[in-house]
Amino acid sequence: MKTILIVDDEPRTRQGIRKTLEAWSSGEHRIVTASNGVEALAWLEKNETNLLVTDIRMPEIGGLDLVEKLNEMAYPPVVIVISGHPEFDYAQRALRLGVVEYLLKPLDKAKLVRAVEQAFKREEDLHRIGRMEKLVDPKLLEAGEQEMKYSPPVRETIRYLEEHLHEPVSMREVAEHLHLNASYFSVLFKEQTGLTFSEYLTRKRIQRAKELLVSTRMPIADIAERVGYQTAKYFVKVFRSIESLSPGQYRQRDAEEEETTPY
């Protein structure tokens, strides 16, 4: 059950938003209200929310000041702000803070519901991106950022490995595929990517394995075979050397983090 926190110092507006979202959610979401930013922060010290719907102008702590404080959290909620006036400066600041929608009072119920649906979609996208970022090998990421500067043989090698990652691939085999001398190819690849052919291939295989570990329930032995290792024992050894965890421990850690992340 996801949580929506509504913050507005006007009781009529606050309760109107709550009733609209309760009717829309049909009990699928937990909906909480606070009458000002101070009350909201006190509640958030002990609770988590997925979505914040807040007025901009409130005593003591305004809506955007509240959003700024929440952005310091490990898992800040997505935000919709509401305002009685179309103030350009407020709208600009809201955009800079990553606010999903800026709605004007009096609120249109249909627009409010659409904004909430959009906010939850944004939250899911951010969650998915966050999980994928954790899977990316920083050395592969750095190499990938420079790919357009690589010579055609190196770019072709990267494409070839993507397509043949599940097969037993050797540097000599790839050099022959490119009609290049193996020694020359070895120097060329390391010079341009910063990684030896063997290190690049290993890291690519382990990254693919991590993706399969967190997105499927595939057995470890099957994943080992899927990423080009003939035995699960050797795959586990290589995986541990790079991640400092066994594949099973990596999958378990991801599952535990998923359970404790408020998305």
Side-chain angles (χ1 to χ4, degrees):
M1 180 178 286
K2 294 188 176 185
T3 300
I4 301 171
L5 174 61
I6 302 163
V7 188
D8 197 304
D9 60 329
E10 297 176 2
R12 187 174 178 180
T13 301
R14 187 169 66 246
Q15 295 308 319
I17 295 172
R18 181 181 61 80
K19 288 179 181 179
T20 297
L21 296 184
E22 282 178 345
W24 162 76
S25 71
S26 300
E28 290 185 6
H29 302 299
R30 178 190 182 201
I31 299 173
V32 182
T33 63
S35 61
N36 55 61
V38 175
E39 186 182 325
L41 284 176
W43 185 86
L44 286 163
E45 285 179 3
K46 299 178 181 179
N47 303 274
E48 293 169 339
T49 188
N50 302 85
L51 169 61
L52 172 69
V53 181
T54 180
D55 190 15
I56 283 187
R57 287 189 173 182
M58 294 184 293
E60 296 187 72
I61 297 177
L64 294 183
D65 292 329
L66 174 61
V67 174
E68 204 156 23
K69 288 179 181 296
L70 296 189
N71 280 345
E72 297 171 3
M73 295 167 53
Y75 301 105
V78 286
V79 180
I80 294 169
V81 296
I82 55 180
S83 175
H85 307 279
E87 292 149 307
F88 183 70
D89 289 345
Y90 279 146
Q92 273 196 319
R93 187 177 170 205
L95 288 172
R96 286 198 300 271
L97 291 171
V99 168
V100 174
E101 187 63 86
Y102 187 102
L103 299 175
L104 293 176
K105 297 178 181 179
L107 291 173
D108 178 280
K109 292 181 180 180
K111 285 184 178 179
L112 173 62
V113 167
R114 282 198 298 271
V116 170
E117 290 172 343
Q118 180 187 349
F120 278 137
K121 185 178 184 304
R122 168 80 68 84
E123 183 204 36
E124 290 167 4
D125 290 343
L126 290 172
H127 183 203
R128 187 163 50 250
I129 291 167
R131 290 192 76 197
M132 293 307 296
E133 283 178 345
K134 289 193 295 184
L135 302 180
V136 175
D137 185 309
K139 290 190 176 181
L140 289 181
L141 181 62
E142 186 178 341
E145 288 173 346
Q146 301 297 318
E147 187 172 342
M148 293 309 296
K149 299 178 182 177
Y150 297 158
S151 62
V154 173
R155 290 205 301 270
E156 174 61 26
T157 299
I158 290 171
R159 284 194 293 271
Y160 184 88
L161 292 180
E162 284 284 350
E163 295 171 3
H164 296 82
L165 209 57
H166 59 290
E167 300 173 6
V169 181
S170 70
M171 186 185 70
R172 185 171 297 279
E173 175 190 336
V174 176
E176 289 177 358
H177 172 74
L178 298 170
H179 307 293
L180 293 175
N181 173 275
S183 297
Y184 168 75
F185 171 69
S186 174
V187 172
L188 179 70
F189 192 87
K190 172 69 183 299
E191 188 178 75
Q192 294 191 15
T193 66
L195 300 169
T196 65
F197 176 86
S198 176
E199 185 181 5
Y200 183 92
L201 177 58
T202 298
R203 287 182 175 276
K204 201 70 180 175
R205 282 176 165 160
I206 296 305
Q207 180 168 301
R208 180 72 58 81
K210 289 192 293 183
E211 293 168 4
L212 292 171
L213 283 167
V214 304
S215 64
T216 74
R217 301 309 303 165
M218 193 181 295
I220 304 298
D222 291 354
I223 290 176
E225 185 178 347
R226 181 73 67 88
V227 298
Y229 290 98
Q230 294 183 332
T231 69
K233 185 177 180 180
Y234 184 60
F235 164 64
V236 170
K237 180 182 177 181
V238 174
F239 192 99
R240 190 187 292 275
S241 71
I242 291 179
E243 295 297 325
S244 301
L245 294 169
S246 70
Q249 290 168 333
Y250 186 91
R251 174 178 269 167
Q252 180 63 29
R253 186 184 70 177
D254 178 79
E256 290 171 356
E257 289 178 353
E258 179 75 0
E259 286 179 4
T260 57
T261 302
Y263 285 113

